[in-house]
Amino acid sequence: MSRSHDLSGNNGQTQDEKANHVDSLLFRNLSIHGSATLEHYQTTFLDYPLSVLARLVRHVFGSSQDRKVRILQDFEGVIVGGEMLLALGRPGSGCTTLLKTLSGDSRGLHLDTTSLLSYQGVPMAEITKRSRGEYIYVPESDIHFPHLTVAQTLTFASQARTASTTASSSGHPYTTTGNTEETITALALTHALHTKVGSSVVKGISGGERKRTSIAEILVGTSRIQCWDNSIRGLDSANALRFIECIHSSAVKAHIVVIATLYQASEAIYNCFDKVIVLYEGREIYFGSTNNAKAYFIDLGFICPDRSTTADFLCSITNPSERIIRQGREDSVPLSPAELAKTWLSSSERVRLVAEIQKHENVLASDYRTQQSPRSHLESTMQRPPTPYILPFSKQVNICLTRSFQRLAQEPTPVISGIIGNTIISIILGSMFYNMPANTSSFFGRGVLLFFTILTNTLLASFEGVQLWDHRPIVEKQYQLAFYHRSAEAVASMLCDLPNKVLLTAGFNLPFYFMANMRRTPAAFFTFYFFAFISLLTGSMLYRTIGAMSRTLTASIAPGSVFILLLVIYTGFILPIPSMHPWLRWFAYINPVGYAFESLMINEFQGLQFPCVSFIPEGPSFVGNRPHQRMCSVTGATAGSDVVDGSLYLATTFDYHEKHLWRNLAVLFGIMTLLCILYLVATECLAVQRSRGEVLIHKRTRQPKTAFFDDSEKQEHATTMPRVTQPELDNNLIPDPKSNGPVAASFIWDNLSYEINVSKLGRLRLLDDIEGWVEPGTLTALMGESGAGKTTLLNVLAMRADVGVISGEKLVDSRFQNEGFARKIGYAQQEDIALSTATVKEALVFSARLRQSSQYTDAEKLAYVEEVISMLDLGELANAVIGAPGDGLNIEQRKRLTIGIELAARPELLLFLDEPTSGMDSNTAWTICRLLRRLADAGQTILCTIHQPSGTIFEMFDRLLLIQHGRSLYFGNIGQNSRIVIDYFSQQGVATCPPQANPAEWLMTITSLANSSVKKDWPQLWASSAERRAIKARLAERKAELRAAEKKDSNPTVDSAYAAPFLRQLYHVTKRNFEQDWRTPSYLHSKLFLALGASIVNGFSFYASSNSLQGTQNQIFSVFILFTLHSSLVQLIIPRFLENRRLYELDEGPSRTYRWDVFVLSNIISELPSQTVLATVQYLGWFYPIGMYRNAISAHALNERSGLMFLLLWSYMLFSSTFSQIVATITPDAATGINISSLLYSLSLIFCG
């Protein structure tokens, strides 16, 4: 039965059923535009409020600077279930936009009204509403919970998106795209199932394995349309082919539609696809069978080079510097996007496509008429509207709860540190109020202790806001995949936290309660514990609600902190009710801390008679007074009585009454429930602020005149970058220090092994007996499957392995055996790490100034940077802001920047590159490798890991080191036409590499552990081979030569660990930190609004306090409240510091760019101006409203006391920032740091007097 006939068999489906089961995807006249705006520049502290005001004015008056910019124009095509479509084009051609649109994700895009996009006859709006998760777009980035294992991650995805084959109550036809175990096996993840997924900070599986985990997360679930955006990035050629074969099998089996855009696709991968679409600057220049595409363009007059894959040939058509035109056809071949699109419209291939589209439209029209029968229409209207989720809400909560406990088990540090820290605080607090007497002398102490207790219980959950933001990107991704409701994850996180909160409440409240001799009856204790627990839950709901209602983390800090300050002041203890001013008196009625404090006071005092210890009158003259002639000096005392009734004391002093005890509990429950509802609603409805996409953002002073638009594809249109096919290498790019002759040297390693301790497995050997060398003038390739240990080997060789045991030998020329060895190695890491607020040129200049030898002048370093910019085609990006991943530079541009940063350092000894061509199209990859080849020819020593190299790229390398699970498979020369390496493996009994095949792909295929047709112990074969014995002999000779040279060198070179002196490092790092703060307005504005709001609330709550007994006490408490601002500032400062620390620890520290003390000192200095401004704002907003200046006037010391008060506030602000940074230097994450900082600062408050 033909596919067309299959479509006609769906006549009985209703519209809702179609929305959940798609057999075809049809698009015609598909045109998409984005909004170009002149506001895509980098905002700073000053112009941020101006830009907000400008947007507001334009919104009010209906004016706009936006204009439409065409992204895709007149696209058409049809894909039926079981088919795979390959989208080819250079970065910026529109592939990502096409994939997002076809998956139903048109956020930030605008479809023309004439565009037709039909999912088996169902319009896009219905698909987006009802079937999110069935139509998925899979981006390049890998976002996971780093502490979960691979098995836990994939099990969760399988549970969320698969179920039984029976229809659910919501109308879902449950079908699975493949068994989880089969997917894991197909993607070769079995060995990594019980290893953490990891991240750039958390150690876990390799980058390639993490990419395969992301792929498996999609494949184990159900979906009808899958759009894969360069998902083979980071995979070796064998695993890339295995992935494509896996999704091809899933497409055929489940009759789903697969669309993918791939860079550097091999011929075998290309042949897995049924159709291909070629894009050229937003125009469709071909859509049809993969079998006919190559012939179509050859007929137009283009030539396919030898050993070029079909995919590379098709992409080269869109590259003026790469395409080859047949001799004699130069004048007749269409070249521009418009000409190629026009030629396509008149081609016979396009005529066949139009006929196929018309055929499908006729079938769908027949389906629609059938569906409109009265009976079908009635059934459709009676059917329950479907949901995009497979599981009901309760089961979503269940699987999220299981995952939450798994995360807790894998990373218990924040929880344990919180429980232990609060227990210690409780013991210290109990020792301060140890064994309070049961008389009136303890009244004030009991009140202070209960207030501090209930306040601390409410604020114990303050770090939950930061934790919430750490997880939101992952939750948002899985929400878009329709794994679960956002609110389901929120409910699960609350339930998972309950045991922790029970233990936390016990750890904090039990020790001091009994040490301080609080009311020791079972009823009183359990009432106290219950209210403390409810207060903790209410505080948790408060922090979660504020976090969920904010679009960014920094935006949630200031309003939340001001709200907490109101809770503290309007409890009724610090500021008694009679002293409250009417403008904020109302807050006391909605203050949960106030209700809890009242109940705890009632619980402690009600029904007790406290002996009086101080009477009025009292003294030697009144010793003989009878009881009716004196009265206790405590409020609530009765004349003539030696005891004070606790209930009367509360009623007189605080207006607290016994009947309010359980009423307050009901109020607390009501507030907690309201906050919980607000939290769940906000979590479900308010998405995290979306990035602007990979759109170029420029500094305002550097912004080009052209507009930038809000689309991930179009940033390169605004800055069209020439693709240089054969870059000319300037002599200045060769790292040859003045007057020292050639400095590059051989680097040798022998019997190199590396082990780490794994808690459950004992010692795990990651590298085992590896040997090899690199030498000047050579380009060495390091290859192996994902997880083979390539990055680990580079880290060990570059002295960046900070844990584990390294054994074996590493030898280098004696001139480099000094402290300067590490800084003379350039290492372009797999992960692209750079400061997000800097521009491309600033990042390169920073590297050059601090890492190049001091023998170069600053002018020479800057000139060298310009050469690097030219060689890497970064000229149009030089003044573009780097941005965070997903916002700013795209992946390919970031990779070029990473390479540029290392080249700008002018490494004197070695250049290591970890997957430098990952994420690049074939031409850019060729350009980068050609540059490396020229650097090597000029004398540079280069070792480079590489995935999916083409045949031409592979032959650029001189030597190959091939490893498998940390063991060598081969080391030696590659040879002309890869003959040497091919001959070695052919001698082992495998079929030789075909002449037209890619030798690199052939090697990866025959050595793959997943290749069932070749079962050989390649490491053992290499270990016993004659080739390895020859390598060992050559190593022995080279080691002898190096040792002999070392003995002759009587004056070894003395070199420092850092190229720049201390003060120069401090200047440049501090300057960059100032620029970072200035260019992050949300950080500075949050701090400013926090200080302003806190000072105004404090100052006007205690406005014009008198010098009476109560007024003086109010002033003292106001000063105390002033110093609680630290708990809020720490939530801003610690995440900021940890962000900078990550950059230092992962890149700039290991590369010896600058010292650790420079890093710490620069962060301290950069905080000085902002903290000074905060002190000024706090001084003006608090000191004068509270009226303390009147005390100075009466003492004739206004200037002296005012100045002293400002200096005290200033010193407090400096203490707060430095204290936060001290804690941040020793904590693994922001949540733990905030928790520890708050606990330590609590000690400061306790002992402040």
Side-chain angles (χ1 to χ4, degrees), residues 236-261:
D236 59 85
S237 56
N239 276 308
L241 177 59
R242 191 177 300 122
F243 155 59
I244 297 299
E245 290 174 339
C246 185
I247 63 173
H248 181 267
S249 174
S250 298
V252 174
K253 178 181 177 181
H255 211 58
I256 64 176
V257 172
V258 173
I259 309 170
T261 177

PDB file of all heavy atoms in Angstrom, residues 236-261:
ATOM      1  N   ASP A 236      31.727  11.187  17.392  1.00  0.00           N
ATOM      2  CA  ASP A 236      32.622  10.680  16.377  1.00  0.00           C
ATOM      3  C   ASP A 236      31.800  10.125  15.222  1.00  0.00           C
ATOM      4  O   ASP A 236      30.580   9.951  15.319  1.00  0.00           O
ATOM      5  CB  ASP A 236      33.534   9.602  16.961  1.00  0.00           C
ATOM      6  CG  ASP A 236      32.746   8.439  17.526  1.00  0.00           C
ATOM      7  OD1 ASP A 236      32.398   7.527  16.763  1.00  0.00           O
ATOM      8  OD2 ASP A 236      32.446   8.454  18.745  1.00  0.00           O
ATOM      9  N   SER A 237      32.462   9.853  14.102  1.00  0.00           N
ATOM     10  CA  SER A 237      31.742   9.449  12.896  1.00  0.00           C
ATOM     11  C   SER A 237      30.971   8.157  13.081  1.00  0.00           C
ATOM     12  O   SER A 237      29.845   8.021  12.575  1.00  0.00           O
ATOM     13  CB  SER A 237      32.727   9.312  11.732  1.00  0.00           C
ATOM     14  OG  SER A 237      33.770   8.410  12.056  1.00  0.00           O
ATOM     15  N   ALA A 238      31.520   7.207  13.838  1.00  0.00           N
ATOM     16  CA  ALA A 238      30.822   5.937  14.044  1.00  0.00           C
ATOM     17  C   ALA A 238      29.562   6.139  14.869  1.00  0.00           C
ATOM     18  O   ALA A 238      28.492   5.605  14.541  1.00  0.00           O
ATOM     19  CB  ALA A 238      31.758   4.931  14.720  1.00  0.00           C
ATOM     20  N   ASN A 239      29.658   6.902  15.942  1.00  0.00           N
ATOM     21  CA  ASN A 239      28.483   7.147  16.775  1.00  0.00           C
ATOM     22  C   ASN A 239      27.480   8.046  16.075  1.00  0.00           C
ATOM     23  O   ASN A 239      26.271   7.918  16.286  1.00  0.00           O
ATOM     24  CB  ASN A 239      28.904   7.767  18.109  1.00  0.00           C
ATOM     25  CG  ASN A 239      29.323   6.731  19.133  1.00  0.00           C
ATOM     26  OD1 ASN A 239      28.590   5.783  19.405  1.00  0.00           O
ATOM     27  ND2 ASN A 239      30.529   6.883  19.669  1.00  0.00           N
ATOM     28  N   ALA A 240      27.959   8.974  15.238  1.00  0.00           N
ATOM     29  CA  ALA A 240      27.038   9.808  14.477  1.00  0.00           C
ATOM     30  C   ALA A 240      26.209   8.956  13.528  1.00  0.00           C
ATOM     31  O   ALA A 240      24.982   9.121  13.419  1.00  0.00           O
ATOM     32  CB  ALA A 240      27.813  10.873  13.709  1.00  0.00           C
ATOM     33  N   LEU A 241      26.865   8.022  12.832  1.00  0.00           N
ATOM     34  CA  LEU A 241      26.139   7.122  11.934  1.00  0.00           C
ATOM     35  C   LEU A 241      25.187   6.227  12.709  1.00  0.00           C
ATOM     36  O   LEU A 241      24.051   5.990  12.273  1.00  0.00           O
ATOM     37  CB  LEU A 241      27.135   6.280  11.138  1.00  0.00           C
ATOM     38  CG  LEU A 241      26.536   5.231  10.191  1.00  0.00           C
ATOM     39  CD1 LEU A 241      25.625   5.893   9.167  1.00  0.00           C
ATOM     40  CD2 LEU A 241      27.641   4.434   9.500  1.00  0.00           C
ATOM     41  N   ARG A 242      25.630   5.781  13.879  1.00  0.00           N
ATOM     42  CA  ARG A 242      24.769   4.928  14.702  1.00  0.00           C
ATOM     43  C   ARG A 242      23.514   5.683  15.134  1.00  0.00           C
ATOM     44  O   ARG A 242      22.407   5.133  15.162  1.00  0.00           O
ATOM     45  CB  ARG A 242      25.555   4.450  15.926  1.00  0.00           C
ATOM     46  CG  ARG A 242      24.870   3.355  16.723  1.00  0.00           C
ATOM     47  CD  ARG A 242      25.751   2.877  17.870  1.00  0.00           C
ATOM     48  NE  ARG A 242      27.000   2.344  17.364  1.00  0.00           N
ATOM     49  CZ  ARG A 242      28.206   2.805  17.701  1.00  0.00           C
ATOM     50  NH1 ARG A 242      28.308   3.830  18.538  1.00  0.00           N
ATOM     51  NH2 ARG A 242      29.295   2.268  17.223  1.00  0.00           N
ATOM     52  N   PHE A 243      23.666   6.961  15.470  1.00  0.00           N
ATOM     53  CA  PHE A 243      22.511   7.775  15.856  1.00  0.00           C
ATOM     54  C   PHE A 243      21.539   7.943  14.690  1.00  0.00           C
ATOM     55  O   PHE A 243      20.328   7.776  14.850  1.00  0.00           O
ATOM     56  CB  PHE A 243      23.006   9.138  16.358  1.00  0.00           C
ATOM     57  CG  PHE A 243      22.006  10.243  16.242  1.00  0.00           C
ATOM     58  CD1 PHE A 243      20.780  10.166  16.869  1.00  0.00           C
ATOM     59  CD2 PHE A 243      22.292  11.378  15.492  1.00  0.00           C
ATOM     60  CE1 PHE A 243      19.850  11.188  16.760  1.00  0.00           C
ATOM     61  CE2 PHE A 243      21.381  12.398  15.373  1.00  0.00           C
ATOM     62  CZ  PHE A 243      20.152  12.301  16.007  1.00  0.00           C
ATOM     63  N   ILE A 244      22.067   8.271  13.515  1.00  0.00           N
ATOM     64  CA  ILE A 244      21.195   8.461  12.357  1.00  0.00           C
ATOM     65  C   ILE A 244      20.476   7.158  12.008  1.00  0.00           C
ATOM     66  O   ILE A 244      19.282   7.161  11.675  1.00  0.00           O
ATOM     67  CB  ILE A 244      22.004   8.982  11.163  1.00  0.00           C
ATOM     68  CG1 ILE A 244      22.597  10.367  11.483  1.00  0.00           C
ATOM     69  CG2 ILE A 244      21.136   9.064   9.915  1.00  0.00           C
ATOM     70  CD1 ILE A 244      21.582  11.434  11.779  1.00  0.00           C
ATOM     71  N   GLU A 245      21.188   6.041  12.080  1.00  0.00           N
ATOM     72  CA  GLU A 245      20.541   4.751  11.816  1.00  0.00           C
ATOM     73  C   GLU A 245      19.467   4.448  12.844  1.00  0.00           C
ATOM     74  O   GLU A 245      18.427   3.856  12.526  1.00  0.00           O
ATOM     75  CB  GLU A 245      21.588   3.643  11.800  1.00  0.00           C
ATOM     76  CG  GLU A 245      22.528   3.708  10.589  1.00  0.00           C
ATOM     77  CD  GLU A 245      23.633   2.679  10.680  1.00  0.00           C
ATOM     78  OE1 GLU A 245      23.907   2.206  11.811  1.00  0.00           O
ATOM     79  OE2 GLU A 245      24.251   2.367   9.631  1.00  0.00           O
ATOM     80  N   CYS A 246      19.711   4.880  14.086  1.00  0.00           N
ATOM     81  CA  CYS A 246      18.732   4.652  15.155  1.00  0.00           C
ATOM     82  C   CYS A 246      17.449   5.444  14.899  1.00  0.00           C
ATOM     83  O   CYS A 246      16.340   4.898  15.014  1.00  0.00           O
ATOM     84  CB  CYS A 246      19.347   5.032  16.498  1.00  0.00           C
ATOM     85  SG  CYS A 246      18.318   4.662  17.938  1.00  0.00           S
ATOM     86  N   ILE A 247      17.562   6.721  14.554  1.00  0.00           N
ATOM     87  CA  ILE A 247      16.354   7.503  14.312  1.00  0.00           C
ATOM     88  C   ILE A 247      15.695   7.073  12.999  1.00  0.00           C
ATOM     89  O   ILE A 247      14.480   7.184  12.845  1.00  0.00           O
ATOM     90  CB  ILE A 247      16.634   9.024  14.317  1.00  0.00           C
ATOM     91  CG1 ILE A 247      17.589   9.434  13.194  1.00  0.00           C
ATOM     92  CG2 ILE A 247      17.162   9.472  15.661  1.00  0.00           C
ATOM     93  CD1 ILE A 247      17.747  10.944  13.061  1.00  0.00           C
ATOM     94  N   HIS A 248      16.490   6.567  12.048  1.00  0.00           N
ATOM     95  CA  HIS A 248      15.897   6.037  10.825  1.00  0.00           C
ATOM     96  C   HIS A 248      15.048   4.813  11.129  1.00  0.00           C
ATOM     97  O   HIS A 248      13.920   4.670  10.611  1.00  0.00           O
ATOM     98  CB  HIS A 248      16.994   5.691   9.819  1.00  0.00           C
ATOM     99  CG  HIS A 248      16.470   5.165   8.513  1.00  0.00           C
ATOM    100  ND1 HIS A 248      16.303   3.811   8.272  1.00  0.00           N
ATOM    101  CD2 HIS A 248      16.049   5.802   7.393  1.00  0.00           C
ATOM    102  CE1 HIS A 248      15.809   3.641   7.052  1.00  0.00           C
ATOM    103  NE2 HIS A 248      15.644   4.834   6.497  1.00  0.00           N
ATOM    104  N   SER A 249      15.566   3.941  11.988  1.00  0.00           N
ATOM    105  CA  SER A 249      14.794   2.770  12.385  1.00  0.00           C
ATOM    106  C   SER A 249      13.526   3.173  13.125  1.00  0.00           C
ATOM    107  O   SER A 249      12.449   2.606  12.897  1.00  0.00           O
ATOM    108  CB  SER A 249      15.661   1.867  13.272  1.00  0.00           C
ATOM    109  OG  SER A 249      14.924   0.791  13.789  1.00  0.00           O
ATOM    110  N   SER A 250      13.629   4.164  13.991  1.00  0.00           N
ATOM    111  CA  SER A 250      12.457   4.641  14.729  1.00  0.00           C
ATOM    112  C   SER A 250      11.437   5.259  13.786  1.00  0.00           C
ATOM    113  O   SER A 250      10.228   5.063  13.933  1.00  0.00           O
ATOM    114  CB  SER A 250      12.876   5.671  15.778  1.00  0.00           C
ATOM    115  OG  SER A 250      13.743   5.109  16.730  1.00  0.00           O
ATOM    116  N   ALA A 251      11.906   6.003  12.774  1.00  0.00           N
ATOM    117  CA  ALA A 251      10.996   6.647  11.829  1.00  0.00           C
ATOM    118  C   ALA A 251      10.209   5.610  11.043  1.00  0.00           C
ATOM    119  O   ALA A 251       8.992   5.741  10.861  1.00  0.00           O
ATOM    120  CB  ALA A 251      11.785   7.551  10.887  1.00  0.00           C
ATOM    121  N   VAL A 252      10.901   4.577  10.579  1.00  0.00           N
ATOM    122  CA  VAL A 252      10.223   3.544   9.808  1.00  0.00           C
ATOM    123  C   VAL A 252       9.274   2.741  10.678  1.00  0.00           C
ATOM    124  O   VAL A 252       8.133   2.440  10.294  1.00  0.00           O
ATOM    125  CB  VAL A 252      11.266   2.626   9.137  1.00  0.00           C
ATOM    126  CG1 VAL A 252      10.589   1.450   8.444  1.00  0.00           C
ATOM    127  CG2 VAL A 252      12.110   3.419   8.139  1.00  0.00           C
ATOM    128  N   LYS A 253       9.718   2.403  11.866  1.00  0.00           N
ATOM    129  CA  LYS A 253       8.921   1.558  12.756  1.00  0.00           C
ATOM    130  C   LYS A 253       7.665   2.269  13.241  1.00  0.00           C
ATOM    131  O   LYS A 253       6.572   1.693  13.256  1.00  0.00           O
ATOM    132  CB  LYS A 253       9.775   1.131  13.953  1.00  0.00           C
ATOM    133  CG  LYS A 253       9.046   0.294  14.989  1.00  0.00           C
ATOM    134  CD  LYS A 253       9.975  -0.044  16.140  1.00  0.00           C
ATOM    135  CE  LYS A 253       9.235  -0.826  17.221  1.00  0.00           C
ATOM    136  NZ  LYS A 253      10.124  -1.133  18.369  1.00  0.00           N
ATOM    137  N   ALA A 254       7.805   3.538  13.654  1.00  0.00           N
ATOM    138  CA  ALA A 254       6.684   4.272  14.246  1.00  0.00           C
ATOM    139  C   ALA A 254       5.997   5.199  13.254  1.00  0.00           C
ATOM    140  O   ALA A 254       5.047   5.887  13.624  1.00  0.00           O
ATOM    141  CB  ALA A 254       7.167   5.084  15.452  1.00  0.00           C
ATOM    142  N   HIS A 255       6.476   5.219  12.009  1.00  0.00           N
ATOM    143  CA  HIS A 255       5.846   6.037  10.965  1.00  0.00           C
ATOM    144  C   HIS A 255       5.840   7.517  11.338  1.00  0.00           C
ATOM    145  O   HIS A 255       4.831   8.207  11.254  1.00  0.00           O
ATOM    146  CB  HIS A 255       4.413   5.554  10.714  1.00  0.00           C
ATOM    147  CG  HIS A 255       3.972   5.754   9.298  1.00  0.00           C
ATOM    148  ND1 HIS A 255       4.630   5.207   8.217  1.00  0.00           N
ATOM    149  CD2 HIS A 255       2.942   6.467   8.762  1.00  0.00           C
ATOM    150  CE1 HIS A 255       4.023   5.541   7.097  1.00  0.00           C
ATOM    151  NE2 HIS A 255       2.999   6.319   7.396  1.00  0.00           N
ATOM    152  N   ILE A 256       6.983   7.984  11.802  1.00  0.00           N
ATOM    153  CA  ILE A 256       7.098   9.375  12.205  1.00  0.00           C
ATOM    154  C   ILE A 256       7.913  10.144  11.174  1.00  0.00           C
ATOM    155  O   ILE A 256       8.565   9.565  10.296  1.00  0.00           O
ATOM    156  CB  ILE A 256       7.756   9.519  13.594  1.00  0.00           C
ATOM    157  CG1 ILE A 256       9.203   9.019  13.555  1.00  0.00           C
ATOM    158  CG2 ILE A 256       6.959   8.795  14.651  1.00  0.00           C
ATOM    159  CD1 ILE A 256       9.951   9.219  14.853  1.00  0.00           C
ATOM    160  N   VAL A 257       7.874  11.452  11.277  1.00  0.00           N
ATOM    161  CA  VAL A 257       8.606  12.342  10.388  1.00  0.00           C
ATOM    162  C   VAL A 257       9.857  12.825  11.101  1.00  0.00           C
ATOM    163  O   VAL A 257       9.782  13.295  12.240  1.00  0.00           O
ATOM    164  CB  VAL A 257       7.736  13.542   9.960  1.00  0.00           C
ATOM    165  CG1 VAL A 257       8.562  14.562   9.187  1.00  0.00           C
ATOM    166  CG2 VAL A 257       6.550  13.076   9.124  1.00  0.00           C
ATOM    167  N   VAL A 258      10.994  12.713  10.442  1.00  0.00           N
ATOM    168  CA  VAL A 258      12.267  13.157  11.012  1.00  0.00           C
ATOM    169  C   VAL A 258      12.873  14.196  10.086  1.00  0.00           C
ATOM    170  O   VAL A 258      13.001  13.974   8.877  1.00  0.00           O
ATOM    171  CB  VAL A 258      13.240  11.975  11.198  1.00  0.00           C
ATOM    172  CG1 VAL A 258      14.608  12.484  11.640  1.00  0.00           C
ATOM    173  CG2 VAL A 258      12.693  10.996  12.220  1.00  0.00           C
ATOM    174  N   ILE A 259      13.231  15.340  10.667  1.00  0.00           N
ATOM    175  CA  ILE A 259      13.899  16.412   9.926  1.00  0.00           C
ATOM    176  C   ILE A 259      15.171  16.748  10.681  1.00  0.00           C
ATOM    177  O   ILE A 259      15.140  16.913  11.910  1.00  0.00           O
ATOM    178  CB  ILE A 259      13.004  17.657   9.802  1.00  0.00           C
ATOM    179  CG1 ILE A 259      11.618  17.275   9.263  1.00  0.00           C
ATOM    180  CG2 ILE A 259      13.646  18.703   8.914  1.00  0.00           C
ATOM    181  CD1 ILE A 259      10.602  18.389   9.340  1.00  0.00           C
ATOM    182  N   ALA A 260      16.270  16.851   9.989  1.00  0.00           N
ATOM    183  CA  ALA A 260      17.544  17.109  10.669  1.00  0.00           C
ATOM    184  C   ALA A 260      18.402  18.028   9.830  1.00  0.00           C
ATOM    185  O   ALA A 260      18.387  17.967   8.588  1.00  0.00           O
ATOM    186  CB  ALA A 260      18.280  15.798  10.941  1.00  0.00           C
ATOM    187  N   THR A 261      19.127  18.880  10.511  1.00  0.00           N
ATOM    188  CA  THR A 261      20.169  19.663   9.859  1.00  0.00           C
ATOM    189  C   THR A 261      21.496  19.210  10.440  1.00  0.00           C
ATOM    190  O   THR A 261      21.645  19.089  11.663  1.00  0.00           O
ATOM    191  CB  THR A 261      19.963  21.175  10.078  1.00  0.00           C
ATOM    192  OG1 THR A 261      21.047  21.883   9.481  1.00  0.00           O
ATOM    193  CG2 THR A 261      19.904  21.533  11.546  1.00  0.00           C
TER     194      THR A 261
END
